[in-house]
Amino acid sequence: MLRLGIDLGGTKIEIVALGDDGRERLRRRVATPKEDYRGILDVVARLVADAESELGESGSIGVGTPGSISRASGLLRGSNSVCLNGKPIKTDLEALLNRQVQVTNDANCFALSEATVGGGAGAEVVFGVILGTGVGAGIVVRGALLTGPNAIAGEWGHNPLPWPRDDERPGAPCFCGHSGCIETFLSGPGIERDHLRATGEAATAHDIGARAAIGDAACEQTMQRYEKRLARALAHVINILDPDAIVLGGGMSNIARLYANVPRLWKSWIFSDRVDTKLVRHAHGDSSGVRGAAWLGVAN
Ligand SMILES: [Zn+2]
């Protein structure tokens, strides 16, 4: 079965075609028409038609995009491509493509991709986390994405940082309206803000990680604060979900020391005498969004 995945982002729309073994058979990328809903639908339809004519067969279709579809209204909400909000994108694409189309958010696509043929392959319960510009997550149980009645399963980035220290309260304001959300500490901008606050020095997340690795004391301290916060945030998840594997993606996931240090730290907050949950790095990086979208598709 051919699986087509589409990553519909604010700047680009990407399509991938996967075979049953997860191998890529085709990949294309085009610019997203700016704030033009009809234009975006047309680009998706053309990418699908071109891929199918080139490969000589039709496929299932999954779409990953920021935001989520309200179960009650069927309309997309919370997308940073504002022209998509309030639109019945799933039903419009189904009408245009003449088959079922699955639509979910990018963190869910990441989790599904990594749980299927990636860092979490073979694990029964996978918590897939994106530590990037924002913090999001998705949950996959025995190969199936968990969505939930509110379509927010895994959205723990806007929970408060657990077991906060006095100097972590109330925390930075978050766009969601609260302060001290996990995202405000664990996103790329979050570690940059923390480093600036502690040292008075502006540095990128990438530089903080790189300089800590060559012995910069201030960056080392920032990394240690980050690791303790990540450990607490994930301990909270393990106490509730008890996943077999936690897979990290997003820019922060490229810092190698996290995979050794965080599991050493998280034991203090996990209510168990031993912890067998694995913390692993993504296998597909930036490609996980579009690959996960392909795994969403159902046969028609
Ligand atoms: Zn928030």
Side-chain angles (χ1 to χ4, degrees), residues 157-159 173-184:
H158 297 280
N159 285 2
C174 183
F175 78 88
C176 74
H178 297 288
S179 290
C181 292
I182 285 171
E183 175 168 304
T184 66

Side-chain angles (χ1 to χ4, degrees), residues 30 144 160 210 270:
V30 296
I270 295 169

Side-chain angles (χ1 to χ4, degrees), residues 39-68:
I40 288 172
L41 296 182
D42 289 343
V43 166
V44 172
R46 199 182 67 236
L47 284 170
V48 169
D50 288 352
E52 292 186 333
S53 93
E54 193 171 327
L55 296 171
E57 57 182 306
S58 65
S60 63
I61 301 181
V63 176
T65 193
S68 64

Side-chain angles (χ1 to χ4, degrees), residues 82-287:
V82 182
C83 75
L84 300 179
N85 286 326
K87 295 292 197 304
I89 185 165
K90 175 177 159 68
T91 45
D92 283 347
L93 283 173
E94 286 178 336
L96 208 54
L97 296 163
N98 201 24
R99 74 196 90 171
Q100 276 191 63
V101 175
Q102 305 300 318
V103 181
T104 193
N105 78 32
D106 40 0
N108 283 355
C109 287
F110 170 78
L112 186 59
S113 167
E114 292 294 332
T116 309
V117 184
E124 196 171 333
V125 177
V126 175
F127 190 69
V129 182
I130 295 184
L131 300 170
T133 314
V135 171
I139 299 168
V140 177
V141 180
R142 297 184 193 99
L145 200 54
L146 200 68
T147 47
N150 308 298
I152 56 162
E155 286 298 341
W156 117 121
H158 297 280
N159 285 2
L161 183 74
W163 299 283
R165 298 167 6 153
D166 287 346
D167 62 357
E168 291 169 335
R169 275 188 295 244
C174 183
F175 78 88
C176 74
H178 297 288
S179 290
C181 292
I182 285 171
E183 175 168 304
T184 66
F185 289 100
L186 298 183
S187 61
I191 191 174
E192 289 167 5
R193 181 176 41 240
D194 181 61
H195 186 75
L196 180 64
R197 184 179 163 211
T199 66
E201 175 202 51
T204 64
H206 175 268
D207 286 352
I208 293 166
R211 283 168 49 198
I214 54 167
D216 180 299
C219 291
E220 174 61 30
Q221 283 173 10
T222 299
M223 278 308 305
Q224 288 187 16
R225 287 193 301 278
Y226 185 88
E227 286 164 349
K228 284 182 191 146
R229 288 165 180 159
L230 181 56
R232 279 180 272 159
L234 293 177
H236 215 202
V237 170
I238 293 170
N239 284 339
I240 295 169
L241 184 66
D242 203 3
D244 298 87
I246 296 175
V247 187
L248 302 184
M252 294 303 296
S253 72
N254 296 319
I255 298 176
R257 58 186 278 169
L258 298 181
Y259 302 94
N261 293 351
V262 171
R264 207 156 39 227
L265 295 164
W266 70 22
K267 291 183 186 137
S268 316
W269 295 284
I270 295 169
F271 191 66
S272 173
D273 58 343
R274 56 175 290 152
V275 183
D276 292 317
T277 299
K278 304 269 188 297
L279 182 67
V280 294
R281 188 176 169 162
H282 59 81
H284 298 294
D286 290 343
S287 298

